[in-house]
Amino acid sequence: MNFLRIKSQAAVKRELIPDIAPEKLSAETALMCNEGKRIVSLFGSREDAGVRVYSVLADDEASSLYVSSALVKEGGTYPSITSRLFSAQLFEREIHEEFGIIPEGHPWLKPVRYPGHAADKNLKMEEYPFFIMEGNQVHEVAVGPVHAGVIEPGHFRFMCTGEKVHHLEIQLGYQHRGVEKLMKEKDSVFLSESTAGDTVIGHSLAYCRAKEALSGTEVSDSAEAVRAVMLELERAGVHLGDLSALAGDIAYLPGNAVFGAIRTMIINTSLAICGSRFGRGIIRPGGVVFGIDGDLQEQVNNTLDEYEKKIDLTCSVMFEASSVLSRMQTTGVVDKKTAEEIGMTGMAARASGYEVDCRADHPFGAYTHVPVYKRGMKNGDVFARAYLRYVEIKQSFKLIRELMDYNRNINLMADMKPQQPSMFVVSLTEGWRGEISHCVMTDKEGKIERYKIKDPSFNNWPALALAVRGNGISDFPLCNKSFNLSYCGFDL
């Protein structure tokens, strides 16, 4: 195969990446994925002679990545990968929207998010080509982009007969901020922290590890331990908030109140470490700004011990309540086969039995010393996504205790070296939603030439659309919360 084998967070010379014909890139990407690999990222980068399409694949069993590329002439075409590999569909739509090149044979080629930098400046959000069902009893229900609650904007178009949902189409793009372009212009850790506001640690860690790989800067084990502690605190805090919201959606008010209160104590632990409940300001290129000394370690461990017991008690009562089970079980099902076909990631994928986890598959930082054993469920329904959150909270607490033992609180910040010219790196981290990918290329002067981000929401929004099929439309808020996807993380 004409792919270069690399590792996550290991920079390579761009000249080593194969340059093959577009037909080969399409065929080999589809073939390798059909043999067990999966797409991590598929994106374009503009060059003088056209648009270079990069294909980045993961071999999770071997903890390896594969990358190759092909040059497509400006306004040209290439054979669609989607016709042979469905998980490529959204990536190819994004490339088409951004650069105007056409994946010939794509079964449903249309814009993804109508960004300001779309190749076709005539595109208008109000003219989005929604799928239409016909029939005397079919009716449409439109929700958003402005919602009743204080949430991000997005438009949901349901096709229903009576209460039953046959199809949901999700139109996003209202949050587009041009983050990738700004990364090239500003190259700032602050931008990475704001890529998705509820994933500050996940995205800033991917950014910093990419920068460190491009410059050959080594980070101390203590700094990596603190980073992993913060990543697990972020995961536990958001999962607790989601359990609270899920309980609220089904009117199980004890769970809504208790999980909400405990979440506050967990994110206040992040506050005690770095001064921000959301973890802003601690992870920087070269290490971490704040350490966790002996007294603070004891405080963190005591907090985990105290609230883990309350979480256990609340979950044991909640997940045995018939009123809870009747609302969660068999609602919003995504089976394993579908999860693999559409390329789901993270907790939602693992709840469907598709167990992908970067911490275990492509271990980074402290996870190379404190291994993560993947946890999963099989049913792929709302209950599975809720219960797995509980399992992952306990796993995060266990990891934090182990990481605390590993933390020596020394050499927390290394001096950053200059970025090397003409390099390529893929930086993967496992945020609370799932796999975060930052692909970065430097130019001949070592400056950022292309910065491509993939938030796990990009993989999982299609899963929500499939999950609601066959369900009552009143189940949509529950299904939606069970995924809790990011609008701005998708729009970028």
Side-chain angles (χ1 to χ4, degrees), residues 102-289:
I102 298 174
E104 282 192 324
H106 192 291
W108 205 14
L109 189 61
K110 57 182 181 179
V112 175
R113 59 173 74 96
Y114 291 102
H117 64 286
D120 185 355
K121 300 301 180 187
N122 294 318
L123 291 174
K124 297 179 180 177
M125 296 194 78
E126 57 269 28
E127 296 176 357
Y128 185 84
F130 286 99
F131 176 79
I132 296 175
M133 283 183 62
E134 295 183 348
N136 292 335
Q137 297 183 7
V138 175
H139 62 275
E140 294 184 4
V141 178
V143 179
V146 178
H147 299 271
V150 184
I151 64 172
E152 298 175 278
H155 181 73
F156 300 85
R157 185 75 62 92
F158 298 88
M159 301 287 172
C160 306
T161 53
E163 291 287 317
K164 185 177 181 180
V165 177
H166 291 279
H167 180 78
L168 165 62
E169 190 155 357
I170 303 168
Q171 182 197 13
L172 302 176
Y174 300 91
Q175 293 278 79
H176 176 64
R177 297 156 292 162
V179 172
E180 292 172 354
K181 183 182 177 183
L182 287 171
M183 277 291 192
K184 179 179 175 180
E185 297 171 353
K186 304 293 184 182
D187 187 9
S188 166
V189 69
F190 300 109
L191 283 171
S192 69
E193 290 182 331
S194 299
T195 300
D198 55 13
T199 317
V200 170
I201 300 296
H203 277 288
S204 61
L205 184 54
Y207 168 84
C208 290
R209 291 192 65 82
K211 297 276 290 181
E212 290 151 8
L214 290 169
S215 61
T217 302
E218 292 189 6
V219 177
S220 72
D221 289 343
S222 291
E224 293 289 14
V226 173
R227 287 174 166 186
V229 167
M230 295 302 296
L231 190 64
E232 297 306 324
L233 282 173
E234 183 173 77
R235 189 183 324 279
V238 177
H239 279 355
L240 283 164
D242 287 344
L243 286 176
S244 172
L246 282 166
D249 274 357
I250 58 174
Y252 186 77
L253 299 185
N256 177 249
V258 174
F259 288 129
I262 297 175
R263 168 189 174 267
T264 299
M265 303 313 298
I266 298 304
I267 63 177
N268 279 355
T269 304
S270 296
L271 176 71
I273 295 172
C274 68
S276 166
R277 296 193 300 168
F278 304 108
R280 291 181 180 273
I282 183 169
I283 296 181
R284 291 292 180 268
V288 291
V289 176

Side-chain angles (χ1 to χ4, degrees), residues 337-415:
K337 182 173 181 290
T338 302
E340 291 178 343
E341 285 180 349
I342 66 176
M344 283 176 66
T345 187
M347 179 278 303
R350 295 191 287 274
S352 296
Y354 181 36
E355 296 185 6
V356 285
D357 189 328
C358 285
R359 296 172 298 171
D361 298 328
H362 304 273
F364 52 92
Y367 299 109
T368 58
H369 303 289
V370 181
V372 173
Y373 299 98
K374 291 187 276 191
R375 301 285 189 270
M377 303 281 284
K378 293 183 178 178
N379 293 339
D381 54 10
V382 171
F383 175 82
R385 291 187 285 276
Y387 195 83
L388 188 55
R389 282 180 165 89
Y390 165 52
V391 172
E392 292 196 354
I393 290 166
K394 289 184 68 67
Q395 184 186 39
S396 291
F397 283 9
K398 180 175 181 292
L399 287 168
I400 291 170
R401 294 186 182 101
E402 294 175 4
L403 290 161
M404 288 296 190
D405 292 337
Y406 193 72
N407 171 38
R408 297 292 178 267
N409 208 38
I410 56 176
N411 301 325
L412 296 179
M413 184 63 75
D415 293 331

Side-chain angles (χ1 to χ4, degrees), residues 284-322:
R284 291 292 180 268
V288 291
V289 176
F290 302 96
I292 306 175
D293 60 20
D295 292 341
L296 193 51
Q297 282 194 30
E298 184 178 357
Q299 179 184 336
V300 172
N301 285 329
N302 290 339
T303 300
L304 300 187
D305 292 343
E306 178 182 355
Y307 290 100
E308 185 170 21
K309 295 174 183 175
K310 296 180 179 179
I311 293 168
D312 286 338
L313 176 61
T314 309
C315 283
S316 68
V317 175
M318 174 171 156
F319 289 124
E320 290 178 1
S322 57

